[in-house]
Amino acid sequence: AHLALATNYQIFGKYYDKMLYHYEQAVKSSPDNRKVMGAYYTLAGENLKQGKYDVAKQYAEKFISFGEIPENYTTEAQRIIASINFAKEKMANPLPFKPVSLGSKINKDGRLQYFPVLTADQNMIFFTAIGLPKKSHSEDIYISVKMN
């Protein structure tokens, strides 16, 4: 019953919390039943999205442990585990990050700026901005060239 309810909630795209609850109940009630292995797969992905890495990893590992799974699902479950391992390692050993304003010609008040990318030679920066002029809601891509 829990598995059927969760599946319906997932299909209709509503009641996200109920979907998770019923998938969790399904795996608790029959943890080694192959009928619930799809629930493990879904729970792994959803917990990864929520940043619940340890829980997501447990679900992904349990999913893989069923064996005889189509390769694309196994690959995705392995990708989830690799993403978790990467995220946890980077959170434990973050790179130093000290943002510095590039001055008023680049960093404008009232404009949300994001996704900056430097070219390999570090002579150009591309970024996205929203908000100016006229407080529009359209995004614009900007390029700034370094002048010697």
Side-chain angles (χ1 to χ4, degrees), residues 24 42-53 55-56 59:
E24 289 166 353
T42 299
L43 288 167
E46 294 304 323
N47 279 279
L48 174 63
K49 289 177 192 174
Q50 294 179 14
K52 298 178 182 176
Y53 299 134
V55 174
Y59 285 133

Side-chain angles (χ1 to χ4, degrees), residues 40-122:
Y40 284 107
Y41 178 81
T42 299
L43 288 167
E46 294 304 323
N47 279 279
L48 174 63
K49 289 177 192 174
Q50 294 179 14
K52 298 178 182 176
Y53 299 134
D54 293 330
V55 174
K57 188 173 182 178
Q58 289 173 356
Y59 285 133
E61 288 171 343
K62 180 65 176 180
F63 172 76
I64 291 170
S65 76
F66 280 100
E68 297 181 27
I69 303 165
E71 184 178 344
N72 58 325
Y73 290 102
T74 303
T75 300
E76 179 60 18
Q78 290 168 339
R79 187 200 62 79
I80 288 170
I81 293 169
S83 295
I84 290 165
N85 292 338
F86 177 82
K88 289 179 77 171
E89 197 279 318
K90 294 304 174 192
M91 288 188 309
N93 302 296
L95 294 174
F97 178 70
K98 295 181 182 176
V100 176
S101 173
L102 297 175
S104 63
K105 289 187 178 186
I106 301 290
N107 298 124
K108 301 282 186 189
D109 289 337
R111 180 182 292 167
L112 176 62
Q113 298 170 311
Y114 47 96
F115 299 131
V117 178
L118 271 175
T119 56
D121 64 4
Q122 297 188 357

